Amino acid sequence: MSDTPVIGVLALQGDFREHEHALLACGVTTARVRSVDELAAVDALVIPGGESTTMSNLALRWGLMQPLRDRVAAGMPAYGSCAGMIMLADTIEGGRPDQETIGGLNVTVRRNAFGRQVDSFESDLHIPALGQDPFHAVFIRAPWVERVGEDVTVLGRVEGGAADGRIVAVQQGHVLATSFHPELTGDVRVHRYFVEMVREKA
Ligand code: GLN
């Protein structure tokens, strides 16, 4: 890897452009990943928000699911937001019967967990790993993390309301995931944190 890591963004579906903008603001090179060759050319991967059932279908259809699993299992740093978190979870609740995940994160994630009433909402979270200032988090039909394995670190939880205490940001070694969409707010601290993970790995 050169001094400037190439961070891939899985571009099958979802808000991959917004992740590209956030990553570019962190001073790294990005590349869209839609094929096995494109996956082989990146040092790390961001999996965007969108629709995890569609992403799963497309990854299977385009022959990317197993190569993605192999890369993550081999230690490639990966970060998933929202649908991307679902894609990285070892186990999901509320998935479609044919829905598969890449896995790598020893958690159970519940899809569309916040329910209809608060389908989408915004909330300030305290995420010590990102510094003192609260992180303004945007949730859109978001999942939450229902079970974390022993090797998983909880980075952030919802504060207040019906979902008080629900886990929405986690890390397990080289794998990072958030229920919310930092790519939509202009606060690039989550992306910078991921870039640091990638640099440390190198
Ligand atoms: N509800 C979507 C899913 O299950 C995730 C929503 C999102 O990424 N904003 O894939």
Side-chain angles (χ1 to χ4, degrees):
M1 183 184 334
S2 68
D3 286 351
T4 306
V6 178
I7 301 197
V9 182
L10 189 65
L12 299 177
Q13 190 269 339
D15 70 342
F16 53 88
R17 291 176 193 82
E18 286 75 5
H19 277 288
E20 287 171 346
H21 291 146
L23 289 165
L24 291 173
C26 298
V28 295
T29 304
T30 68
R32 293 186 185 173
V33 171
R34 293 193 176 104
S35 70
V36 176
D37 288 348
E38 287 168 349
L39 177 63
V42 298
D43 300 304
L45 187 70
V46 171
I47 304 171
E51 178 48 56
S52 59
T53 54
T54 308
M55 247 183 253
S56 163
N57 277 342
L58 292 173
L60 287 166
R61 195 182 311 159
W62 297 2
L64 264 173
M65 191 63 99
Q66 195 54 47
L68 285 164
R69 286 179 182 140
D70 293 343
R71 278 301 302 275
V72 174
M76 175 185 69
Y79 163 52
S81 70
C82 202
M85 171 191 258
I86 297 168
M87 289 292 284
L88 287 170
D90 282 347
T91 313
I92 54 177
E93 294 283 350
R96 269 217 325 239
D98 63 341
Q99 184 171 359
E100 296 190 24
T101 72
I102 300 165
L105 198 51
N106 181 12
V107 298
T108 301
V109 161
R110 179 170 293 280
R111 287 183 67 220
N112 304 326
F114 292 92
R116 293 232 163 132
Q117 297 296 323
V118 284
D119 214 302
S120 299
F121 65 103
E122 302 187 10
S123 179
D124 284 337
L125 308 179
H126 291 93
I127 304 181
L130 302 180
Q132 291 279 314
D133 291 343
F135 196 93
H136 189 70
V138 175
F139 295 85
I140 304 168
R141 290 176 54 75
W144 67 42
V145 180
E146 215 152 88
R147 176 197 63 86
V148 290
E150 267 176 22
D151 33 5
V152 176
T153 305
V154 174
L155 298 179
R157 296 173 185 267
V158 172
E159 294 161 40
D164 185 43
R166 289 295 182 181
I167 298 166
V168 291
V170 289
Q171 181 178 358
Q172 181 181 359
H174 62 288
V175 184
L176 176 72
T178 61
S179 302
F180 52 90
H181 293 271
E183 71 278 15
L184 299 181
T185 52
D187 184 339
V188 297
R189 282 181 291 162
V190 173
H191 292 83
R192 218 180 277 139
Y193 183 84
F194 181 60
V195 169
E196 278 312 306
M197 282 170 55
V198 176
R199 291 213 161 102
E200 271 167 32
K201 181 86 191 170

